[in-house]
Amino acid sequence: MTKSSSQPYRIKGAGTLSRARTVQFTFDGKSYEGLEGDTLASALLANGVHLMGRSFKYHRPRGVMSAGVEEPSALMNITRDNARTNPNVRASVQELYDGMKAESQNRFPSLSFDVGAVNSLLSPAFVAGFYYKTFKWPAKAWDKLYEPFIRRAAGLGESPTEEDPDRYSNRFAHCDVLIIGGGAAGLMAAKTAAAKKQSVIICDENPKMGGWLLADSDVRIDGKSGAQWAADTVAELQAMDNVRVLTRTTGFGYFQQNMVALNERVTDHLSRPDPDLPRERMWQVRAKKVVIAQGSIERHMVFSGNDRPGVVLAGAAQMWLNQHGVAVGHTVGVYAACDTGYAAAFDLYEAGVNVAAIIDHRAEVSEDLLDQAKTHGIEVHTNANITSTSGRLRINGMTVETSNGETKEFEVDALLMAGGWTPSLHLSSQSRAKPAWDEATQRFLPGVSPQDCVNIGGCNGLDDLDAVFAEAIKAVGGKKTKIEITDDVSTAGGAIGIVGPEEHKGKAFVDFQNDVTAKDIKLAVREGMHSIEHVKRYTTNGMATDQGKLSNMHGLAIAAKLLGKSIPEVGLTTFRAPYTPTTFGSFVGHDRGSLFDPNRKTPIHDWAVEQGATFEPVSLWQRAWYFPKGDEDMHSAVDRECQTVRKAAGVFDASTLGKIEVVGPDAAAFMDKMYTNGWSKLKAGRAKYGIMCREDGFIYDDGVVGKLSDTRFHVTTTTGGAPRVLNHMEDYLQTEFPDMQVWLTSTTEQWATIAVQGPKAREIIEPLVSGANISDEKFPHMSVIECKVCGVPARLFRISFTGELGFEINVPAGYGRAVWEAVWDRAEPMGACAYGTEAMHVLRAEKGYIIVGQDTDGTVTPHDADLSWAVAKSKPDYVGKRGLQRPDLVADGRRQLVGLKTKDPNKVLEEGAQIVRDPEQAIPMKMIGFVTSSYWSGTLGQSIAMAVVEDGFNMMGKSLYVPMPDETIEVEVTGTVFYDPKGEKLNG
Amino acid sequence: MLLIHCPYCEDDRPELEFSHAGQAHIVRPTDMDGLSDEEFEAMFFIRDNPKGIILERWRHSMGCGRFLNAVRHTVTDKFLKTYKAGQPRPTDKDIEDLLK
Amino acid sequence: MADSITAERREIVAGFKFANNAVSIEAAPAASRTNLRATTAGAKSFGKSISLELPTIMHETASKAGRHALKLGPDEWLLIDTKNINDSMVPRLANKNFSAVDISHRNCAFVISGAGAANTLNTACPRDLSLAAFPVGTCSRTLFGKAEVVLYRTAKDTFRLECWRTFATYVRDYLMDGAKDAHI
């Protein structure tokens, strides 16, 4: 194709694009040339391509209809690579870039010959409610027949097959005035607010601001063309510090208290995007005042054959001509119910396009327009209607019924529809304003919003530029200024619903994307759908990706007429965010991969990595799970770690334990309230196991607490429980005991905690400790002391979660790695090992130490857990005391924590497995409890488990059964302490 | 996202900084032992779920850390008033005035 | 013997530096920190002990000789000493009207500066960081993504961000991601 023959519909001298800046692209594999500044649709039209897609249900050939986001038909797949395949891109707004690859959708094998078009012949079957009527029975047909059919038929376009490699970002922003829409109204409001030194954000979904001014050739503002005035105003705004101008940015959601979400498309228009730039950016704007200047959307006319390629909105034809320099055809017809159709016709005429005729649905038309048409020699039929169109892949003719009932045929290669303008109420409605019906102009206008927002311009039902400017200035509290304006076309008036002869032969489309015709709406009403929400769902009118921007008003008018109700009585369907389809990527923003969640690592983490540890996630933490040596599997590594701890010693990273410092003269009194046992009498330098209950008496958390002095406690919590325990304590302190002189500080991350456990523990750490005598005599089990370890300040606990002689060294986190290594340097030569969380679990289970959240589930009391010894009997009050006296909690037969030994010692139970008394009973069996913890104990050479079992304490020695899918396992009920029941190992 | 006025910070703050903390003005009796089972049930388990005005607690957990009370309308989600923990419950008349 | 071994202090993101045409992000050097919870009288007497009059108005700060006091809550101050980094500000003796807890190692800090500093923070911080709403010398606990942070504006285009140690790599990576489009 030579340059001269390319773009045959590009009109010399028309539009604002430079002829010199050409862009190459492909559509369905064929190469085309367009211009920089084109949309994909305008570039295809420049090349005479109208056929751009197939409809969803009937696979009818479709062309582009609009020049905006309301586009129902020209939806494309735009592909950069396998990961960047975007379905359902509207060709009407997608900016062209060099090398673009566009593909049509919903057709096989090709766009011009589509097998699915057979659906069109079967269309009598595909009526409203087709799915509900057809896919009913038999139930068996669902799996094999109906669902596969629906799945194949459903949806347009194809999803990318690889993970999205693009970046998406987010920005929170605040401003005095947010203006949504950069047309005449929005720009004037921005200019006025900016001059008042307010902070302003103005956004527009298009690459260029100006809105309708870019399409209207007649407007003059202060002597400039509309487009020039818009460009100058934008330049002025961009130069101001207090203004942010966001193009390619859609205000898509309006939330509470003037929070508006904007979606900015940063790189979708670029041939080779900078990989550092986000593809899209989400703006979460909080504005003191919101000015909605969304404009209005032109309606199509509902008549038979209104969906052929080449049938377009009049305003779109005007935009393509005056912005892109493209004519929609050589000979066009116009079907108008609004004056703007004439403006489009005259512009095309002046650009050298034949106008076959203007068919005006209205009987009364202004003399001025008729005179202008006469001057141009354009035939006008008023009080006339188009009854049908012809042409297979593109319109080639229209049939008109004139006012006196005559039929006239015209040859056309494009047809413009001017059905009038629908104010965009999307964001206004989302702000919770109820749309208000305006009887005089037959349209819904924005109602009063409970938020500080105002609608101006086209979306507020204004039809003339003078009024638009005055309203824009007033909206932001500006002073009236004199502006010279020429604007002779009004957007008032129009038609809603079916026009012309009532019974059409062919299909008169209301919703193009979902193939809903006027007949479908009527059928839905006849079949009993009397609410507009039901009509919508029954017919799927307005449920496609365009969300009924063109179709809703027509559907409503048709339904209202048949129901014999007024339009406001029937009412609009609800407007919901997003205004236009918005990518998941922009909602996700930064929060993916390593930024999805904080990944918390202890100061000793890297050491464990170097040792080849395997990790497990515990809440947001990564914890060393076990340290395999050589080709050890988990089972043998854990076995070795456990037995090494029992025989020599083990070193364990317990830094994730939650820690809270409780300080103040009332510290002990506060602890007495929060924990079930007593703290006032505990001596400084001693530590104690504490249970925290909720008010209902159930275990909430547990941990060892060290009393550093009479006014300072070092509290530990479970790893996952730290934040909620602190919140729970703060809650009581602030709201129930506000007079107590005690304060809380989270110190979880201040301390690295190194547990050294096993017979050789003291020998390992003793030389590293200064300022403390840690002999058994001076520093017995359950002691705490502030001293130095490796020369740094430390809190040393004599404590055990293994049942062995044990210490926990707390040092400031920054020293954690160094102190750990010093401990390890001594431990390793003595035959000790590093052990992970799995060995820790086994070791504690051998001793019957519970883990809150594993052995308890929020319905277990301290008594149920056999921890009555840790519940004070004489304390006047603590949280949970009254709850523990509730009838259900003191009743017999509660589920109680017991040990289980399998009859076959090699059989390890599954955690969560249910327990029954009699395995022979009929199904469903009565379940009397379940397994909470279960491990292989290498030390004992048998499997061990803990479980909650009804009346468990009275069942010691009895046999119970654990039914599994392939067998029933017999278990014996035991105490929970399997190893060293007398606790002799702790002391030594 | 809501804006919530923190009576301690004396400023409107984004909802993300707050966490909800249940119904307000439920007093933990000083004599818990003296509560009958029915009284305990009413105090601990039974909560209002009105369509309309609710008095509830929030914590400015990612801000000043304080628990506060709020009068919120459950239909509009609007916060009519926030006030410090420990301040008296607004009277019906106060709430009526807030709704005006 | 043990006293002679002095373990090395490791900061989690020590030496981290990043800059582009809009913003520079650096890990702040190690510091000494104290969480002070106190009554009004307690705050006054504690302030005397460290020769720094503590701010009494919410979100205000006071600085002297490398020491900074940030008023985060009605009874809560974050004290940062950037000079005497190994000295605890916690007094040996208990006091009845305040609680001082050493949190030197709990937190770490980033300094975010440049024309795009506020934009970078607003990637994941929902607060209005305009000078009018968050003037120089102001501090506040808030949120950055899923991390609790304290922001302290030390100059028109400079913020100090304090976060917990294990959130530092998350905050660092998030800041760098946000910095990529801070200029636009």
Side-chain angles (χ1 to χ4, degrees), chain A residues 167-172 174 244 266 276-278 281 283 590-591 594-603 620-621 661 663-665 711-712 730 734 741 743-750 767-770 786 788 790-792 812-815 817-819 821, chain C residues 1-12 35 37-39 75 86 90-92 94-107 119-120 122-129 146-147 164-167 169-170 173-174 177-178 180-184:
Chain A
R167 284 187 67 236
Y168 296 83
S169 77
N170 178 71
R171 180 80 59 82
F172 290 98
H174 296 75
R244 184 182 277 280
V266 182
D276 260 3
L277 284 181
R281 179 159 55 177
W283 289 81
H590 303 266
D591 296 347
S594 65
L595 298 183
F596 178 69
D597 252 341
N599 196 357
R600 304 178 71 183
K601 293 170 182 167
T602 76
L620 293 177
W621 292 94
E661 199 140 318
V663 184
T711 58
R712 191 176 290 260
E730 275 287 353
Q734 287 183 31
Q741 295 279 297
W743 295 272
L744 313 170
T745 301
S746 170
T747 50
T748 302
E749 300 224 23
Q750 166 67 13
L768 305 176
V769 177
S770 57
E786 289 183 278
K788 285 193 171 178
C790 300
V792 300
Y815 299 119
R817 171 86 189 247
V819 173
E821 283 179 10
Chain C
M1 167 194 166
D3 256 342
S4 63
I5 309 166
T6 299
E8 178 205 357
R9 176 171 177 176
R10 289 199 195 184
E11 291 294 289
I12 179 104
N35 180 53
R37 305 285 304 261
T39 62
D75 68 349
N86 290 320
V90 179
R92 292 303 305 166
N95 188 295
K96 64 180 188 346
N97 52 17
F98 67 75
S99 144
V101 175
D102 189 354
I103 51 163
S104 303
H105 293 239
R106 186 187 81 176
N107 289 16
N119 279 351
T120 303
N122 274 140
T123 294
C125 173
R127 292 282 291 276
D128 184 353
L129 299 178
K146 293 177 182 170
W164 286 12
R165 176 183 181 95
T166 60
F167 290 82
T169 51
Y170 167 84
D173 295 349
Y174 216 128
D177 209 39
K180 284 182 179 168
D181 52 288
H183 63 289
I184 55 169

Side-chain angles (χ1 to χ4, degrees), chain A residues 497-711:
Chain A
I498 321 168
V499 290
E502 266 302 304
E503 286 311 316
H504 294 276
K505 275 198 209 113
K507 294 187 174 70
F509 284 92
V510 174
D511 184 316
F512 295 94
Q513 199 177 127
N514 270 355
D515 276 341
V516 180
T517 64
K519 277 179 192 159
D520 291 326
I521 308 260
K522 287 180 181 171
L523 183 63
V525 173
R526 279 205 305 274
E527 291 188 349
M529 307 299 142
H530 290 179
S531 145
I532 197 66
E533 296 285 359
H534 292 156
V535 171
K536 170 178 168 172
R537 281 157 186 81
Y538 199 59
T539 61
T540 70
N541 190 50
M543 287 174 69
T545 61
D546 59 348
Q547 289 286 289
K549 290 186 176 64
L550 293 178
S551 63
N552 280 350
M553 283 307 294
H554 287 313
L556 172 56
I558 295 166
K561 192 171 176 188
L562 210 63
L563 288 166
K565 288 184 181 172
S566 69
I567 284 176
E569 276 177 312
V570 177
L572 276 173
T573 51
T574 311
F575 293 96
R576 291 194 178 87
Y579 168 62
T580 50
T582 307
T583 62
F584 285 115
S586 76
F587 284 99
V588 171
H590 303 266
D591 296 347
R592 55 198 282 212
S594 65
L595 298 183
F596 178 69
D597 252 341
N599 196 357
R600 304 178 71 183
K601 293 170 182 167
T602 76
I604 295 142
H605 181 90
D606 289 347
W607 184 89
V609 172
E610 288 157 25
Q611 298 291 314
T614 303
F615 291 84
E616 67 165 340
V618 180
S619 63
L620 293 177
W621 292 94
Q622 288 295 317
R623 301 196 70 180
W625 199 9
Y626 56 95
F627 292 81
K629 280 190 173 171
D631 52 7
E632 270 182 342
D633 61 6
M634 177 170 171
H635 180 83
S636 35
V638 171
D639 235 22
R640 173 184 49 76
E641 288 171 19
C642 289
Q643 295 190 49
T644 308
V645 171
R646 298 255 181 256
K647 282 174 196 148
V651 191
F652 176 70
D653 180 5
S655 304
T656 63
L657 272 186
K659 301 165 206 84
I660 297 166
E661 199 140 318
V662 179
V663 184
D666 292 328
F670 179 66
M671 290 295 293
D672 277 343
K673 289 279 194 193
M674 300 312 297
Y675 283 82
T676 59
N677 38 4
W679 302 89
S680 302
K681 287 179 193 146
L682 187 70
K683 286 204 179 87
R686 297 292 290 164
K688 195 157 143 177
Y689 173 72
I691 298 172
M692 172 179 272
C693 282
R694 301 195 316 173
E695 208 69 79
D696 55 12
F698 295 129
I699 296 176
Y700 190 57
D701 202 77
D702 71 347
V704 169
V705 178
K707 191 168 183 176
L708 299 167
S709 74
D710 287 341
T711 58

Side-chain angles (χ1 to χ4, degrees), chain A residues 673 676 693-698 732 877-885 889, chain B residues 28 32 40:
Chain A
K673 289 279 194 193
T676 59
C693 282
R694 301 195 316 173
E695 208 69 79
D696 55 12
F698 295 129
Y732 276 93
D877 184 28
Y878 58 84
V879 174
K881 184 174 190 231
R882 176 61 187 82
L884 282 169
Q885 297 158 31
L889 271 56
Chain B
R28 184 180 191 272
M32 287 288 283
F40 181 82

Side-chain angles (χ1 to χ4, degrees), chain A residues 372-395:
Chain A
Q372 283 189 61
K374 204 168 183 182
T375 317
H376 296 324
I378 299 173
E379 189 178 335
V380 177
H381 293 274
T382 57
N383 200 15
N385 290 295
I386 297 179
T387 52
S388 67
T389 63
S390 56
R392 191 171 83 86
L393 299 177
R394 170 130 180 219
I395 187 169

Side-chain angles (χ1 to χ4, degrees), chain A residues 9 84 89 112 139 155 194 291 336 338 354 537 640 778 805 852 899 919 952:
Chain A
Y9 286 82
R84 295 178 174 90
V89 174
S112 52
V291 176
C338 170
N354 295 322
R537 281 157 186 81
R640 173 184 49 76
K778 296 281 181 194
L805 164 67
V852 171

